Amino acid sequence: MARKRKKIGEILLSWGIIDEAGLSQALEYGMQNGIRAGEAMVQLELCDEDDVMKALATQLGQEYVDLDKFAIPREALELIPVEIIRKHLVLPMGLEQDRLKVIVTDPLDLETLDLLRFRLGKELIPALAPAKKVNRFITEVLDKMHDELSQTMASIDKASIDLEDEINKEDAGDDGEGDAPIVRLINKIIGEAVRNRASDIHIEPMADRVRVRYRIDGVCHVRDDIPKTIQNAVVTRLKIMAGMDIAEKRVPLDGRIKMKFGGKPIDFRASACPTYHGPSVVLRILRAEAASVGIESLGFEEDNHKAFQRIIRRPNGIFLVTGPTGSGKTTTLYSALQELNRPDKKIITAEDPVEYNFPGMNQCQVNEEIGLTFARILRAMLRQAPNIILVGEIRDREVGDVAIQAALTGHLVFSTLHTNDAPSAITRLIDMGIKPFLVASSVQAIMAQRLIRVICKECREEDPSPDKRKLKLLGFTDEELAQGAIYRGRGCSRCGGTGYHGRKGVFEMLKMNAEIRELAFNRAPSSQLRKAAIASGMRTLRDDGKIKILKGVTTPDEVLRVAHADVLVGDEVEVEA
């Protein structure tokens, strides 16, 4: 036989909170006014709302939550849209085995509970708290979070961003009015980054804030700080946009976002990486025009430009471009492919990932999960009768062997390698396990490159007192300095006060000849290969940068920043203290 539940009045009576006379008075008052006994007791000031809610929790076998002592996690508050929290006076506490634990003020309102189950798509575990405390929590905590978000958006609004149609403004309607501010915030951050020519957006959680940085012309600039209280909402929104699993926070995730800005499509490659203070998200901005700059705009000096044109028009062999991440290797190779992209040439690429799509080229995406590796794509390419092959990167011996076989069988192969300078690429290939005679016979040329910032044309001025120590580090002679002035950027609105606007490359072109092939065959160290290359006419990164300094294109600081390793391996320079 089922045990009969105690009534609220009986529970409060047993606790000694009310007496028999008070209970009778409350029951009579409740019948006269058509209200529950608990409400009647509160209105008659026989007990307070906390006592009634505790008794109700005991009656129903549910948990009572004292909001004065219990801190709801910030991430839990994002499980329910804000407008539902305000309308129905419910507070999410978190997930328990895929069930949502929520604080409600009236567990007997079954219609509201059913509505919440339908709207949230989850089974509920109700807990109880008084309405006055839930209202106070909403006012003190949620309103504060909303104010912080508004302040952040206001600071970003100062940049006068006008993202086209708020980048699919209807998304705000999909997520509910409560989420719309987060949607607008993300859209404005993205819009400002695009307008400021940023290549990356960094959303970085810190101990007490979330830092937003843009990488512009290869250098990171701090834009603003987002309140810590909305960190999870911002990260979740970015994950949703990129098609990532929002529940997965333990492992790195990758995704892609497609948008339109100024009528032009722009892709974003998204990466989320777990860190100590939460997931760090980076959006790489992929502009189609960035990979279509044309060979003339890359920054070649005349002799290197002619050499580059001759190399990419060879019928076979391997042409390698080396440099660290972000040095413009992919852009250089895409520019070469577009120069060669004609109806009489078949071009196939293997990339990881395919960042830009070009008409007329057959582009293959590497997918390690299904076994579609660089080597497997390369072997399949050779059966497609191509004239030109692009391999995104030579990472190991297997890929290197197939690329070399392709070059030796009449194909022109372009690829990249991560080395500091051009001569080191030869020793790197041999260290991978590729036979030296194959490297010596297949590689036609190797080009190392870096990107340097260009002095802003609007505020360029002659530097009245250039740093002599830096000029000596770069190897300038008095005769070279007498040929022209050293320039700098004063800083203006066009360049954002940095003195730089845009980037160009500095290059180190190693063309294989009989002597260098012989050294490669004999496994000569990179230092010996370097000396032979310089003796045969190779201009180093440092020397290419010196030409651009004397032309007023860039500054000594920039060349030292990107070519410092070249200074160290070059001739020793005596520097004054």
Side-chain angles (χ1 to χ4, degrees), residues 409-428:
T409 53
H411 303 88
L412 180 59
V413 180
F414 294 135
S415 191
T416 69
L417 206 60
H418 287 284
T419 61
N420 284 329
D421 59 3
S424 298
I426 295 174
T427 53
R428 174 83 179 103

Side-chain angles (χ1 to χ4, degrees), residues 141-195:
V141 178
L142 291 185
D143 287 355
K144 181 182 176 183
M145 289 172 59
H146 187 271
D147 290 343
E148 288 175 338
L149 176 58
S150 299
Q151 290 170 12
T152 302
M153 292 185 63
S155 68
I156 292 180
D157 277 335
K158 291 176 184 176
S160 301
I161 308 157
D162 181 24
L163 193 57
E164 183 176 317
D165 293 330
E166 282 283 350
I167 306 180
N168 300 325
K169 203 168 187 176
E170 64 274 8
D171 283 353
D174 293 342
D175 291 326
E177 293 177 6
D179 289 339
I182 294 292
V183 175
R184 292 198 300 274
L185 173 64
I186 297 299
N187 289 347
K188 288 179 183 297
I189 289 173
I190 292 174
E192 182 181 38
V194 172
R195 285 184 181 276

Side-chain angles (χ1 to χ4, degrees), residues 451-469:
L451 291 177
I452 54 170
R453 291 184 291 175
V454 175
I455 298 172
C456 176
K457 293 179 181 178
E458 297 294 325
C459 61
R460 194 182 80 147
E461 64 180 14
E462 186 175 335
D463 190 345
S465 56
D467 191 325
K468 293 181 180 180
R469 179 179 179 276

Side-chain angles (χ1 to χ4, degrees), residues 376-404:
R376 189 170 180 181
I377 293 174
L378 264 174
R379 291 191 183 95
M381 282 180 179
L382 298 179
R383 296 192 289 272
Q384 295 278 315
N387 300 105
I388 300 164
I389 294 171
L390 167 66
V391 185
E393 182 185 348
I394 295 179
R395 295 178 177 174
D396 51 41
R397 177 181 175 177
E398 186 180 16
V399 177
D401 280 337
V402 180
I404 283 174

Side-chain angles (χ1 to χ4, degrees), residues 350-354 364-369 372-374 377 395:
E351 303 170 65
D352 182 21
V354 174
C364 302
Q365 170 89 41
V366 170
N367 190 339
E368 301 279 356
E369 292 182 3
L372 192 61
T373 61
F374 274 119
I377 293 174
R395 295 178 177 174

Side-chain angles (χ1 to χ4, degrees), residues 80 102 122 156 163 176 185 188 192 261 298 354 392 442 487 556:
I80 298 180
V102 293
K122 290 190 180 296
I156 292 180
L163 193 57
L185 173 64
K188 288 179 183 297
E192 182 181 38
F261 184 80
L298 294 175
V354 174
S442 61
Y487 289 87

Side-chain angles (χ1 to χ4, degrees), residues 295-538:
I295 292 174
E296 292 76 15
S297 302
L298 294 175
F300 285 117
E301 298 303 320
E302 188 176 353
D303 55 344
N304 276 344
H305 181 258
K306 289 178 179 177
F308 185 80
Q309 290 284 3
R310 284 195 299 270
I311 290 163
I312 66 174
R313 283 172 170 76
R314 293 192 179 211
N316 55 36
I318 294 180
F319 175 48
L320 293 173
V321 180
T322 77
T325 301
S327 58
K329 302 185 298 293
T330 302
T331 299
T332 297
L333 289 179
Y334 275 145
S335 298
L337 290 181
Q338 287 183 287
E339 184 93 356
L340 302 171
N341 190 15
R342 299 289 182 270
D344 60 330
K345 300 282 186 184
K346 176 156 185 172
I347 301 173
I348 305 182
T349 74
E351 303 170 65
D352 182 21
V354 174
E355 294 188 347
Y356 305 99
N357 296 113
F358 295 100
M361 297 185 200
N362 301 275
Q363 295 174 269
C364 302
Q365 170 89 41
V366 170
N367 190 339
E368 301 279 356
E369 292 182 3
I370 61 172
L372 192 61
T373 61
F374 274 119
R376 189 170 180 181
I377 293 174
L378 264 174
R379 291 191 183 95
M381 282 180 179
L382 298 179
R383 296 192 289 272
Q384 295 278 315
N387 300 105
I388 300 164
I389 294 171
L390 167 66
V391 185
E393 182 185 348
I394 295 179
R395 295 178 177 174
D396 51 41
R397 177 181 175 177
E398 186 180 16
V399 177
D401 280 337
V402 180
I404 283 174
Q405 290 303 320
L408 294 175
T409 53
H411 303 88
L412 180 59
V413 180
F414 294 135
S415 191
T416 69
L417 206 60
H418 287 284
T419 61
N420 284 329
D421 59 3
S424 298
I426 295 174
T427 53
R428 174 83 179 103
L429 291 173
I430 295 172
D431 288 344
M432 282 182 185
I434 301 170
K435 295 177 181 178
F437 77 90
L438 290 176
V439 175
S441 57
S442 61
V443 175
Q444 299 297 324
I446 304 165
M447 186 175 75
Q449 72 174 68
R450 301 287 190 278
L451 291 177
I452 54 170
R453 291 184 291 175
V454 175
I455 298 172
C456 176
K457 293 179 181 178
E458 297 294 325
C459 61
R460 194 182 80 147
E461 64 180 14
E462 186 175 335
D463 190 345
S465 56
D467 191 325
K468 293 181 180 180
R469 179 179 179 276
K470 292 176 181 177
L471 296 176
K472 284 187 178 182
L473 277 171
L474 289 169
F476 276 106
T477 64
D478 293 337
E479 291 77 15
E480 288 174 325
L481 293 173
Q483 294 176 14
I486 306 297
Y487 289 87
R488 67 181 182 185
R490 184 178 62 256
C492 63
S493 58
R494 178 175 182 261
C495 62
T498 63
Y500 300 99
H501 190 276
R503 289 189 290 176
K504 286 191 180 296
V506 287
F507 304 94
E508 183 175 273
M509 183 82 72
L510 185 157
K511 292 170 281 187
M512 297 293 281
N513 56 28
E515 182 186 0
I516 296 174
R517 291 184 197 279
E518 183 69 22
L519 289 170
F521 180 78
N522 292 320
R523 296 176 179 265
S526 57
S527 59
Q528 196 172 342
L529 288 164
R530 183 178 185 79
K531 287 179 181 177
I534 293 173
S536 66
M538 182 186 81

